[in-house]
């Protein structure tokens, strides 16, 4: 079958692949559009495999809420620039919709699941890699369900550099839940309340504070009392309910939540790339490595 310009245009619109790649795919498959789509997908998989050892520590976090269900998730790329790419943003939206629709238990289960377009998540991401040119990964996600009597508070900071999902129990005040999520994005508490801090962590902090007080030359008879006072500051640093509310520093988050008639059941905070060891490339070494290849 003769490959026409219209066929190339149609395939390009469907895949976003380059014009010459589309023409080659149609020639190789004798003009069979579906086979050409598979051809480009396979090419995308090949391109993706070459990028597998690269570090993807940029990208975005996002939240999608549908009724009583919500998902918070992180999709990584190699550069911050790609996070602004329209194709990448479409991919992020599609992944969020798929996660909410299928509710996989793990990332492995998610990437192996089949999307509405007939591709697995892994293959769909690989196609995006072929078009965008960077390694892309679905790094993590968490799905939550609430009742009609509760409220979700989704908040995205700096276009998704930080995402926070709050679940308030026994109140439908979603604005208050979002305000608390905004507070969490700013102050990054580690726990909801003091009850969640392990005895081991408290004792470790008490020991550090005791050594600090003694090194300051404080009398031993008052050190214990000082340490207990300083422990209060420690709890304010790490416990959400003990923190001064960012929108009203005269009020604790505990009191703000109580004013809605509800309480904080859970929060999840994602920050792009946290915990990923980023490779620090030495520019001089990189240049020399290229010179030595010549």
């Amino acid at each position: 079958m003769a490959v026409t310009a219209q066929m190339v245009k149609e395939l390009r619109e469907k895949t976003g692949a380059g014009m010459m790649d589309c023409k080659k795919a149609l020639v190789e498959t004798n003009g069979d559009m579906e086979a050409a789509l598979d051809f480009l997908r396979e090419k995308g998989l090949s391109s993706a495999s070459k990028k597998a050892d690269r570090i993807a520590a940029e990208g975005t976090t996002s939240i999608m809420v549908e009724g009583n269900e919500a998902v918070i998730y992180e999709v990584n790329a190699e550069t911050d620039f790609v996070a602004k790419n329209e194709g990448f943003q479409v991919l992020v939206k599609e992944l969020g919709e798929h996660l909410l629709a299928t509710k996989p238990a793990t990332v492995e289960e998610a990437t192996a699941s089949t999307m509405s377009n007939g591709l697995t998540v892994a293959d769909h991401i690989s196609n995006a890699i072929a078009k965008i040119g960077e390694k892309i990964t679905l790094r993590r996600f968490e799905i939550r369900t609430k009742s009609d009597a509760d409220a979700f508070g989704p908040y995205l900071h700096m276009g998704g550099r930080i995402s926070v999902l709050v679940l308030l129990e026994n109140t439908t005040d979603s604005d208050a839940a979002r305000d608390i999520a905004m507070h969490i994005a700013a102050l990054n508490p580690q726990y909801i309340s003091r009850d969640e801090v392990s005895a081991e962590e408290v004792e470790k902090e008490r020991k550090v504070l005791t050594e600090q007080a003694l090194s300051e030359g404080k009398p031993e008879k008052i050190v214990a009392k000082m340490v207990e006072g300083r422990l209060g500051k420690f709890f304010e640093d790490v416990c959400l309910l003990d923190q001064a509310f960012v929108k009203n520093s005269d009020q604790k988050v505990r009191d703000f939540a109580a004013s809605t008639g509800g309480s904080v059941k859970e929060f999840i905070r994602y920050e792009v790339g946290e915990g990923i060891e980023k490779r620090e490339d030495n520019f001089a070494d990189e240049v020399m490595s290229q010179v030595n290849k010549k």
Side-chain angles (χ1 to χ4, degrees):
M1 178 186 292
V3 175
T4 66
Q6 181 58 37
M7 293 167 64
V8 174
K9 180 175 181 291
E10 181 183 348
L11 184 58
R12 187 180 186 189
E13 288 174 349
K14 286 184 177 181
T15 64
M19 186 178 297
M20 295 307 297
D21 287 334
C22 290
K23 182 177 181 180
K24 180 179 179 181
L26 287 164
V27 170
E28 291 289 334
T29 58
N30 197 30
D32 186 321
M33 189 65 67
E34 292 302 315
L37 285 167
D38 288 340
F39 179 93
L40 288 174
R41 181 165 64 87
E42 290 167 5
K43 181 180 178 182
L45 287 170
S46 175
S47 298
S49 66
K50 294 176 183 177
K51 298 176 176 66
D53 64 342
R54 297 185 184 176
I55 296 175
E58 297 296 336
T60 191
T61 63
S62 190
I63 301 171
M64 191 167 289
V65 178
E66 290 185 2
N68 285 341
E69 295 177 335
V71 60
I72 180 170
Y73 56 111
E74 180 178 358
V75 182
N76 292 137
E78 294 176 54
T79 65
D80 181 57
F81 178 78
V82 163
K84 302 176 179 65
N85 178 285
E86 183 179 354
F88 180 80
Q89 292 172 354
V90 169
L91 173 66
V92 170
K93 181 175 181 292
E94 291 171 339
L95 291 176
E97 291 171 343
H98 179 72
L99 291 170
L100 272 184
T102 59
K103 300 177 183 60
T106 64
V107 170
E108 291 74 20
E109 184 179 323
T111 54
S113 63
T114 302
M115 301 181 70
S116 58
N117 60 7
L119 298 179
T120 65
V121 169
D123 286 349
H124 190 61
I125 291 175
S126 291
N127 284 349
I129 292 173
K131 297 173 191 175
I132 295 171
E134 284 195 10
K135 179 179 179 180
I136 299 171
T137 59
L138 171 62
R139 182 189 180 195
R140 53 180 172 168
F141 66 89
E142 294 187 54
I143 298 171
R144 292 295 182 268
T145 302
K146 71 174 185 66
S147 74
D148 290 336
D150 305 327
F152 281 133
Y155 176 72
L156 271 64
H157 181 65
M158 294 177 63
R161 291 296 300 179
I162 299 173
S163 290
V164 180
L165 179 64
V166 167
L167 175 54
L168 278 186
E169 279 188 310
N170 304 317
T171 179
T172 58
D173 193 339
S174 57
D175 289 338
R178 185 180 181 280
D179 284 344
I180 293 174
M182 186 188 304
H183 170 100
I184 292 167
L187 271 69
N188 194 17
Q190 305 302 302
Y191 309 97
I192 294 177
S193 67
R194 299 186 183 198
D195 295 339
E196 295 181 355
V197 186
S198 69
E200 292 78 11
E201 186 172 354
V202 174
E203 188 55 37
K204 179 181 178 181
E205 186 66 18
R206 181 179 282 110
K207 182 179 179 181
V208 170
L209 292 173
T210 298
E211 292 173 352
Q212 286 178 351
L214 290 172
S215 68
E216 292 168 4
K218 306 297 183 184
E220 288 190 30
K221 61 182 180 181
I222 68 168
V223 164
K225 185 175 181 180
M226 287 181 59
V227 166
E228 292 309 309
R230 291 181 180 182
L231 268 176
K233 179 63 171 64
F234 163 74
F235 285 123
E236 289 177 3
D237 288 340
V238 301
C239 298
L240 172 66
L241 299 183
D242 283 291
Q243 293 178 337
F245 187 38
V246 290
K247 296 188 76 172
N248 179 5
S249 59
D250 294 329
Q251 185 181 39
K252 296 286 189 183
V253 174
R254 172 189 295 104
D255 300 323
F256 174 73
S259 72
T260 70
S263 60
V264 180
K265 180 180 181 181
E266 185 179 15
F267 73 82
I268 304 165
R269 183 185 189 276
Y270 280 177
E271 186 166 349
V272 171
E274 60 187 345
I276 298 177
E277 184 176 349
K278 301 181 182 181
R279 182 167 56 220
E280 297 293 337
D281 293 325
N282 183 294
F283 182 69
D285 290 344
E286 182 180 340
V287 171
M288 287 305 301
S289 70
Q290 295 301 314
V291 170
N292 292 334
K293 289 179 181 179
K294 296 180 179 181

